[in-house]
């Protein structure tokens, strides 16, 4: 029965990995398995049999859901794009509350925010808004098209994206 539960959790993680804007790390946090998952991966060789027993159904579920759900996702984006995008925006906004309840609410009484925390937040907010506004003003000329990415660009993009998947929070 535990295999089935871990397979379902892995399926949710796999779906989160292919959904735009949804981090599988956030889904791990929402499911309450993030810490154990990281511990199993980091201490894999300490107890291989136990870690495989825990990680295998999660990995299998993630793989199966990525393969199956990717076609469903393409179908929905092609047939009802506005509703699909609105659903993802709702999922993003909903995940903020889940993370707040699980992490921030428990830690807010233990630590006090410093002025530097507010300054960093404001800088990141301004930077994010500037990127959104700047995106509409970019002119692609000299034969460069935004869908023609170099190998190095893709590797760097994947590297930075992995921070959101592997490190959804800091201690």
């Amino acid at each position: 029965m535990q295999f089935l539960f871990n397979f379902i959790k892995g399926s949710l993680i796999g779906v989160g990995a292919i959904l735009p804007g949804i981090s599988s790390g956030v889904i791990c946090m929402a499911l309450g398995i993030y810490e154990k998952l990281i511990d199993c991966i980091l201490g894999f060789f300490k107890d291989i049999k136990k870690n495989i027993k825990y990680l295998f159904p999660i990995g299998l579920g993630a793989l199966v859901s990525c393969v199956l759900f990717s076609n469903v996702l393409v179908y929905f984006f092609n047939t009802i794009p506005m509703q699909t995008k609105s659903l993802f925006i709702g999922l993003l906004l909903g995940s903020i509350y889940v993370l707040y309840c699980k992490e921030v609410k428990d830690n807010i009484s233990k630590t006090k925010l410093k002025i530097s925390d507010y300054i960093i937040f404001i800088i990141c907010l301004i930077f994010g808004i500037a990127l959104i506004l700047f995106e509409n003003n970019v002119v692609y000329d000299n034969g460069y098209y935004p869908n023609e990415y170099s190998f190095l660009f893709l590797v760097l993009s994947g590297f930075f994206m992995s921070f959101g998947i592997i490190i959804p929070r800091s201690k």
Side-chain angles (χ1 to χ4, degrees):
M1 195 57 122
Q2 190 64 33
F3 183 90
L4 181 62
F5 286 134
N6 286 341
F7 181 83
I8 292 170
K9 290 176 184 178
S11 296
L12 293 173
I13 293 167
V15 168
I18 63 170
L19 292 177
I22 307 291
S23 167
S24 55
V26 171
I27 292 180
C28 289
M29 293 286 293
L31 294 174
I33 64 170
Y34 181 79
E35 296 291 333
K36 186 172 182 180
L37 195 63
I38 294 297
D39 289 342
C40 283
I41 292 169
L42 292 177
F44 183 76
F45 294 108
K46 291 180 183 174
D47 191 358
I48 294 175
K49 185 177 179 183
K50 177 185 162 200
N51 291 331
I52 287 176
K53 186 178 178 182
Y54 181 73
L55 293 173
F56 179 72
I58 292 174
L60 183 65
L63 181 68
V64 168
S65 68
C66 281
V67 170
L68 295 178
F69 194 71
S70 62
N71 292 327
V72 173
L73 187 63
V74 168
Y75 172 77
F76 283 127
F77 268 121
N78 289 332
T79 56
I80 49 173
M82 184 59 74
Q83 293 87 342
T84 305
K85 291 174 186 175
S86 298
L87 173 68
F88 294 135
I89 291 170
L91 289 171
L92 285 170
L93 294 175
S95 69
I96 292 170
Y97 178 74
V98 169
L99 289 177
Y100 173 77
C101 288
K102 288 202 176 273
E103 294 298 319
V104 176
K105 194 174 181 182
D106 295 336
N107 294 332
I108 200 75
S109 61
K110 297 176 187 172
T111 59
K112 292 197 173 222
L113 294 175
K114 298 175 238 163
I115 191 74
S116 63
D117 295 330
Y118 292 109
I119 291 171
I120 291 171
F121 173 76
I122 291 170
I123 290 170
C124 291
L125 181 66
I126 291 170
F127 184 71
I129 292 171
L131 285 176
I132 291 170
L133 296 174
F134 180 69
E135 178 184 29
N136 295 329
N137 297 322
V138 173
V139 177
Y140 297 105
D141 58 355
N142 296 331
Y144 174 78
Y145 298 99
N147 292 333
E148 296 178 4
Y149 299 115
S150 69
F151 179 74
L152 180 62
F153 177 79
L154 293 174
V155 169
L156 287 174
S157 297
F159 175 75
F160 288 117
M161 186 207 61
S162 69
F163 288 133
I165 294 173
I166 303 215
I167 312 168
R169 67 180 176 94
S170 61
K171 286 189 174 188

